[in-house]
Amino acid sequence: MTTKQILIINDLCSYGKVSTTAMLPILSYLGVPTGILPTSLVSNTFDYGDYSIMETTGFLKDSFTKWKKLGFGFEAIATGFIPSRAQADLISAYCKEQAAAGTTIFVDPIMGDEGQLYKGMAAEELVGAMREMISVADLCYPNYTEACYLTGEGYKAGGVTKAGARNLLDKLRKIGAKSVLITSIDVDGQPSVAGFNHSTGEYFTLPFTEIPVHFPGTGDIFSAILIGHIMNGDTLKDSTRKAMDGVYRLIDLNKDNTDKNRGIPLEKYLSIL
């Protein structure tokens, strides 16, 4: 277990196990002291089709001001859903300031999946905001759809070759990210996570078996397991594999749940992590 404290900057959903409410129990279980700063308050998961959302931009700004005055800092920061360019500019500036003091920055540039942006998101503003965020990242981990939007590459429903995956990784690194993962990408016909570790210069591809069931929040679960193991000293490749295996087991154990829009009830299954 680490004594290093991490700050989660993500939305806070009241009904459904996603975003902050998915990440917090996992990081706590893995022994990582965790603080939270909500980017927005959301009534329920987007999967229900109707929801209320309230951005917290003013609260973010005031919190950063107070923390600076009080001398607060974190050994790591993990960012997730950021609803506006104004927030992205504010958060990326804070992350740059903290990174200069040695803070590790993890960025999940949440925008969309399966070739499309999530409902209600404006492409130009959102993509620009997420490019700003990954420019300060020690590690970013978009899914394949998000990697395409960030780099300007066309989305290919049939996936990419290993060379194509490496090209995407390199284009993301040119934006500024040090280490990079691309999740949910078919590489040579196999669902995979493709990665680059800047500490070792290693490219890697980790295949997985896909379960044809959708739950919201699985990306947040992946993020939390990944970060937890990295902060406990595991390598990027090993942490990625553990995150992939954890998500697979959680989906498999819950694939027959009636209301999948609520996400996975994590508290029952933390011991498998």
Side-chain angles (χ1 to χ4, degrees):
M1 294 185 181
T2 182
T3 59
K4 297 179 179 179
Q5 186 174 15
I6 186 169
L7 172 68
I8 300 173
I9 304 178
N10 204 347
D11 69 281
L12 188 58
C13 181
S14 297
Y15 189 88
K17 193 63 65 174
V18 298
S19 55
T20 300
T21 58
M23 296 182 71
L24 183 57
I26 293 171
L27 286 165
S28 296
Y29 183 80
L30 293 175
V32 180
T34 306
I36 63 171
L37 185 64
T39 59
S40 55
L41 305 178
V42 185
S43 60
N44 49 268
T45 65
F46 298 159
D47 297 65
Y48 286 105
D50 190 17
Y51 56 88
S52 176
I53 184 169
M54 180 175 71
E55 293 187 24
T56 58
T57 307
F59 176 70
L60 289 178
K61 186 174 182 180
D62 289 346
S63 295
F64 292 149
T65 299
K66 297 297 184 186
W67 290 348
K68 187 173 183 179
K69 179 181 178 182
L70 293 166
F72 293 167
F74 301 88
E75 284 77 18
I77 297 172
T79 71
F81 177 67
I82 298 172
S84 68
R85 182 58 189 261
Q87 274 202 15
D89 290 343
L90 186 65
I91 294 166
S92 62
Y94 178 73
C95 287
K96 284 179 183 177
E97 183 180 278
Q98 294 299 301
T103 299
T104 301
I105 310 297
F106 300 99
V107 175
D108 183 0
I110 298 171
M111 294 189 293
D113 203 359
E114 298 179 349
Q116 298 182 340
L117 295 178
Y118 293 130
K119 183 180 177 181
M121 293 190 172
E124 184 175 347
E125 177 175 344
L126 187 66
V127 173
M130 289 301 103
R131 283 182 179 145
E132 181 72 17
M133 285 306 310
I134 70 170
S135 73
V136 303
D138 290 281
L139 171 64
C140 74
Y141 34 96
N143 61 32
Y144 176 45
T145 296
E146 292 156 350
C148 288
Y149 273 101
L150 288 164
T151 61
E153 288 286 313
Y155 178 88
K156 299 175 182 176
V160 299
T161 63
K162 190 167 286 189
R166 181 166 177 162
N167 176 58
L168 272 175
L169 291 166
D170 288 341
K171 286 192 171 185
L172 289 165
R173 291 170 57 211
K174 285 180 181 177
I175 298 173
K178 295 177 182 176
S179 294
V180 181
L181 300 174
I182 302 174
T183 65
S184 303
I185 182 171
D186 280 3
V187 179
D188 293 329
Q190 176 67 52
S192 304
V193 174
F196 173 79
N197 185 341
H198 85 282
S199 297
T200 62
E202 176 190 16
Y203 291 88
F204 57 87
T205 303
L206 301 174
F208 64 88
T209 300
E210 198 167 37
I211 301 174
V213 173
H214 172 74
F215 283 98
T218 52
D220 302 300
I221 293 170
F222 175 90
S223 177
I225 301 172
L226 172 74
I227 292 169
H229 284 290
I230 289 174
M231 292 192 69
N232 280 323
D234 291 340
T235 66
L236 175 59
K237 188 174 181 179
D238 287 346
S239 298
T240 302
R241 183 79 262 176
K242 289 175 181 177
M244 294 165 66
D245 292 345
V247 170
Y248 179 90
R249 288 196 296 270
L250 287 166
I251 293 175
D252 189 46
L253 287 166
N254 289 274
K255 61 181 181 291
D256 295 325
N257 291 8
T258 302
D259 185 3
K260 296 180 177 62
N261 290 338
R262 290 185 68 177
I264 294 173
L266 290 166
E267 287 81 359
K268 293 172 60 177
Y269 303 102
L270 291 173
S271 61
I272 74 167
L273 305 180

PDB file of all heavy atoms in Angstrom, residues 11-12 38-43 51-57 83 87:
ATOM      1  N   ASP A  11     -16.608  13.668 -12.618  1.00  0.00           N
ATOM      2  CA  ASP A  11     -17.979  14.002 -12.223  1.00  0.00           C
ATOM      3  C   ASP A  11     -18.440  13.111 -11.075  1.00  0.00           C
ATOM      4  O   ASP A  11     -17.874  12.048 -10.808  1.00  0.00           O
ATOM      5  CB  ASP A  11     -18.933  13.891 -13.408  1.00  0.00           C
ATOM      6  CG  ASP A  11     -19.150  12.466 -13.860  1.00  0.00           C
ATOM      7  OD1 ASP A  11     -18.272  11.929 -14.556  1.00  0.00           O
ATOM      8  OD2 ASP A  11     -20.200  11.884 -13.516  1.00  0.00           O
ATOM      9  N   LEU A  12     -19.470  13.558 -10.381  1.00  0.00           N
ATOM     10  CA  LEU A  12     -20.031  12.834  -9.246  1.00  0.00           C
ATOM     11  C   LEU A  12     -21.483  12.496  -9.580  1.00  0.00           C
ATOM     12  O   LEU A  12     -22.324  13.383  -9.712  1.00  0.00           O
ATOM     13  CB  LEU A  12     -19.955  13.693  -7.985  1.00  0.00           C
ATOM     14  CG  LEU A  12     -20.332  13.034  -6.660  1.00  0.00           C
ATOM     15  CD1 LEU A  12     -19.456  11.821  -6.377  1.00  0.00           C
ATOM     16  CD2 LEU A  12     -20.204  14.045  -5.525  1.00  0.00           C
ATOM     17  N   PRO A  38     -15.275  17.248  -7.673  1.00  0.00           N
ATOM     18  CA  PRO A  38     -16.231  17.000  -8.765  1.00  0.00           C
ATOM     19  C   PRO A  38     -16.210  18.096  -9.824  1.00  0.00           C
ATOM     20  O   PRO A  38     -16.222  19.282  -9.509  1.00  0.00           O
ATOM     21  CB  PRO A  38     -17.584  16.951  -8.056  1.00  0.00           C
ATOM     22  CG  PRO A  38     -17.394  17.753  -6.807  1.00  0.00           C
ATOM     23  CD  PRO A  38     -15.957  17.572  -6.407  1.00  0.00           C
ATOM     24  N   THR A  39     -16.185  17.668 -11.100  1.00  0.00           N
ATOM     25  CA  THR A  39     -16.281  18.612 -12.214  1.00  0.00           C
ATOM     26  C   THR A  39     -17.729  18.964 -12.510  1.00  0.00           C
ATOM     27  O   THR A  39     -18.017  19.988 -13.117  1.00  0.00           O
ATOM     28  CB  THR A  39     -15.663  18.009 -13.484  1.00  0.00           C
ATOM     29  OG1 THR A  39     -16.359  16.784 -13.803  1.00  0.00           O
ATOM     30  CG2 THR A  39     -14.183  17.721 -13.290  1.00  0.00           C
ATOM     31  N   SER A  40     -18.632  18.079 -12.090  1.00  0.00           N
ATOM     32  CA  SER A  40     -20.062  18.309 -12.273  1.00  0.00           C
ATOM     33  C   SER A  40     -20.821  17.346 -11.378  1.00  0.00           C
ATOM     34  O   SER A  40     -20.296  16.310 -10.960  1.00  0.00           O
ATOM     35  CB  SER A  40     -20.480  18.110 -13.742  1.00  0.00           C
ATOM     36  OG  SER A  40     -20.080  16.834 -14.199  1.00  0.00           O
ATOM     37  N   LEU A  41     -22.050  17.720 -11.077  1.00  0.00           N
ATOM     38  CA  LEU A  41     -22.957  16.848 -10.336  1.00  0.00           C
ATOM     39  C   LEU A  41     -23.984  16.319 -11.332  1.00  0.00           C
ATOM     40  O   LEU A  41     -24.607  17.093 -12.058  1.00  0.00           O
ATOM     41  CB  LEU A  41     -23.648  17.614  -9.210  1.00  0.00           C
ATOM     42  CG  LEU A  41     -22.726  18.335  -8.211  1.00  0.00           C
ATOM     43  CD1 LEU A  41     -23.561  19.088  -7.178  1.00  0.00           C
ATOM     44  CD2 LEU A  41     -21.770  17.359  -7.534  1.00  0.00           C
ATOM     45  N   VAL A  42     -24.129  14.995 -11.368  1.00  0.00           N
ATOM     46  CA  VAL A  42     -24.994  14.356 -12.359  1.00  0.00           C
ATOM     47  C   VAL A  42     -26.045  13.526 -11.630  1.00  0.00           C
ATOM     48  O   VAL A  42     -25.727  12.787 -10.694  1.00  0.00           O
ATOM     49  CB  VAL A  42     -24.180  13.462 -13.317  1.00  0.00           C
ATOM     50  CG1 VAL A  42     -25.082  12.913 -14.420  1.00  0.00           C
ATOM     51  CG2 VAL A  42     -23.012  14.235 -13.920  1.00  0.00           C
ATOM     52  N   SER A  43     -27.289  13.632 -12.055  1.00  0.00           N
ATOM     53  CA  SER A  43     -28.381  12.967 -11.349  1.00  0.00           C
ATOM     54  C   SER A  43     -28.299  11.450 -11.438  1.00  0.00           C
ATOM     55  O   SER A  43     -28.594  10.731 -10.473  1.00  0.00           O
ATOM     56  CB  SER A  43     -29.724  13.434 -11.900  1.00  0.00           C
ATOM     57  OG  SER A  43     -29.835  13.134 -13.289  1.00  0.00           O
ATOM     58  N   TYR A  51     -31.281  12.983 -17.904  1.00  0.00           N
ATOM     59  CA  TYR A  51     -30.496  13.241 -16.698  1.00  0.00           C
ATOM     60  C   TYR A  51     -30.385  14.742 -16.465  1.00  0.00           C
ATOM     61  O   TYR A  51     -30.637  15.560 -17.355  1.00  0.00           O
ATOM     62  CB  TYR A  51     -29.091  12.638 -16.817  1.00  0.00           C
ATOM     63  CG  TYR A  51     -28.321  13.113 -18.040  1.00  0.00           C
ATOM     64  CD1 TYR A  51     -27.546  14.277 -17.998  1.00  0.00           C
ATOM     65  CD2 TYR A  51     -28.390  12.411 -19.241  1.00  0.00           C
ATOM     66  CE1 TYR A  51     -26.868  14.724 -19.115  1.00  0.00           C
ATOM     67  CE2 TYR A  51     -27.708  12.856 -20.362  1.00  0.00           C
ATOM     68  CZ  TYR A  51     -26.948  13.999 -20.296  1.00  0.00           C
ATOM     69  OH  TYR A  51     -26.282  14.451 -21.410  1.00  0.00           O
ATOM     70  N   SER A  52     -30.011  15.100 -15.255  1.00  0.00           N
ATOM     71  CA  SER A  52     -29.725  16.492 -14.904  1.00  0.00           C
ATOM     72  C   SER A  52     -28.233  16.608 -14.599  1.00  0.00           C
ATOM     73  O   SER A  52     -27.641  15.713 -13.988  1.00  0.00           O
ATOM     74  CB  SER A  52     -30.551  16.895 -13.674  1.00  0.00           C
ATOM     75  OG  SER A  52     -30.209  18.212 -13.266  1.00  0.00           O
ATOM     76  N   ILE A  53     -27.631  17.700 -15.035  1.00  0.00           N
ATOM     77  CA  ILE A  53     -26.201  17.906 -14.790  1.00  0.00           C
ATOM     78  C   ILE A  53     -25.947  19.362 -14.410  1.00  0.00           C
ATOM     79  O   ILE A  53     -26.553  20.274 -14.978  1.00  0.00           O
ATOM     80  CB  ILE A  53     -25.365  17.500 -16.031  1.00  0.00           C
ATOM     81  CG1 ILE A  53     -23.856  17.621 -15.747  1.00  0.00           C
ATOM     82  CG2 ILE A  53     -25.764  18.293 -17.254  1.00  0.00           C
ATOM     83  CD1 ILE A  53     -22.987  17.006 -16.820  1.00  0.00           C
ATOM     84  N   MET A  54     -25.082  19.559 -13.437  1.00  0.00           N
ATOM     85  CA  MET A  54     -24.712  20.905 -13.007  1.00  0.00           C
ATOM     86  C   MET A  54     -23.189  20.989 -12.943  1.00  0.00           C
ATOM     87  O   MET A  54     -22.546  20.259 -12.185  1.00  0.00           O
ATOM     88  CB  MET A  54     -25.301  21.220 -11.629  1.00  0.00           C
ATOM     89  CG  MET A  54     -24.952  22.625 -11.126  1.00  0.00           C
ATOM     90  SD  MET A  54     -25.772  23.036  -9.554  1.00  0.00           S
ATOM     91  CE  MET A  54     -24.874  21.963  -8.423  1.00  0.00           C
ATOM     92  N   GLU A  55     -22.619  21.872 -13.743  1.00  0.00           N
ATOM     93  CA  GLU A  55     -21.171  22.054 -13.728  1.00  0.00           C
ATOM     94  C   GLU A  55     -20.742  22.770 -12.449  1.00  0.00           C
ATOM     95  O   GLU A  55     -21.496  23.554 -11.862  1.00  0.00           O
ATOM     96  CB  GLU A  55     -20.718  22.849 -14.953  1.00  0.00           C
ATOM     97  CG  GLU A  55     -20.918  22.112 -16.261  1.00  0.00           C
ATOM     98  CD  GLU A  55     -20.312  22.855 -17.436  1.00  0.00           C
ATOM     99  OE1 GLU A  55     -19.384  23.667 -17.233  1.00  0.00           O
ATOM    100  OE2 GLU A  55     -20.777  22.621 -18.574  1.00  0.00           O
ATOM    101  N   THR A  56     -19.498  22.531 -12.029  1.00  0.00           N
ATOM    102  CA  THR A  56     -18.993  23.088 -10.768  1.00  0.00           C
ATOM    103  C   THR A  56     -17.739  23.928 -10.998  1.00  0.00           C
ATOM    104  O   THR A  56     -16.824  23.933 -10.187  1.00  0.00           O
ATOM    105  CB  THR A  56     -18.667  21.948  -9.785  1.00  0.00           C
ATOM    106  OG1 THR A  56     -17.709  21.071 -10.402  1.00  0.00           O
ATOM    107  CG2 THR A  56     -19.910  21.156  -9.427  1.00  0.00           C
ATOM    108  N   THR A  57     -17.713  24.653 -12.110  1.00  0.00           N
ATOM    109  CA  THR A  57     -16.509  25.394 -12.500  1.00  0.00           C
ATOM    110  C   THR A  57     -16.082  26.404 -11.437  1.00  0.00           C
ATOM    111  O   THR A  57     -14.897  26.510 -11.097  1.00  0.00           O
ATOM    112  CB  THR A  57     -16.737  26.107 -13.846  1.00  0.00           C
ATOM    113  OG1 THR A  57     -17.195  25.151 -14.803  1.00  0.00           O
ATOM    114  CG2 THR A  57     -15.443  26.739 -14.338  1.00  0.00           C
ATOM    115  N   PRO A  83     -16.628  18.713 -18.561  1.00  0.00           N
ATOM    116  CA  PRO A  83     -17.742  19.073 -19.440  1.00  0.00           C
ATOM    117  C   PRO A  83     -17.549  20.312 -20.311  1.00  0.00           C
ATOM    118  O   PRO A  83     -18.395  20.587 -21.160  1.00  0.00           O
ATOM    119  CB  PRO A  83     -18.893  19.300 -18.457  1.00  0.00           C
ATOM    120  CG  PRO A  83     -18.238  19.740 -17.197  1.00  0.00           C
ATOM    121  CD  PRO A  83     -16.941  18.999 -17.137  1.00  0.00           C
ATOM    122  N   GLN A  87     -13.427  24.580 -18.085  1.00  0.00           N
ATOM    123  CA  GLN A  87     -12.932  23.697 -17.031  1.00  0.00           C
ATOM    124  C   GLN A  87     -11.607  23.061 -17.420  1.00  0.00           C
ATOM    125  O   GLN A  87     -10.696  22.941 -16.586  1.00  0.00           O
ATOM    126  CB  GLN A  87     -13.954  22.598 -16.724  1.00  0.00           C
ATOM    127  CG  GLN A  87     -15.004  22.993 -15.726  1.00  0.00           C
ATOM    128  CD  GLN A  87     -15.637  21.792 -15.058  1.00  0.00           C
ATOM    129  OE1 GLN A  87     -15.129  20.674 -15.124  1.00  0.00           O
ATOM    130  NE2 GLN A  87     -16.757  22.019 -14.398  1.00  0.00           N
TER     131      GLN A  87
END
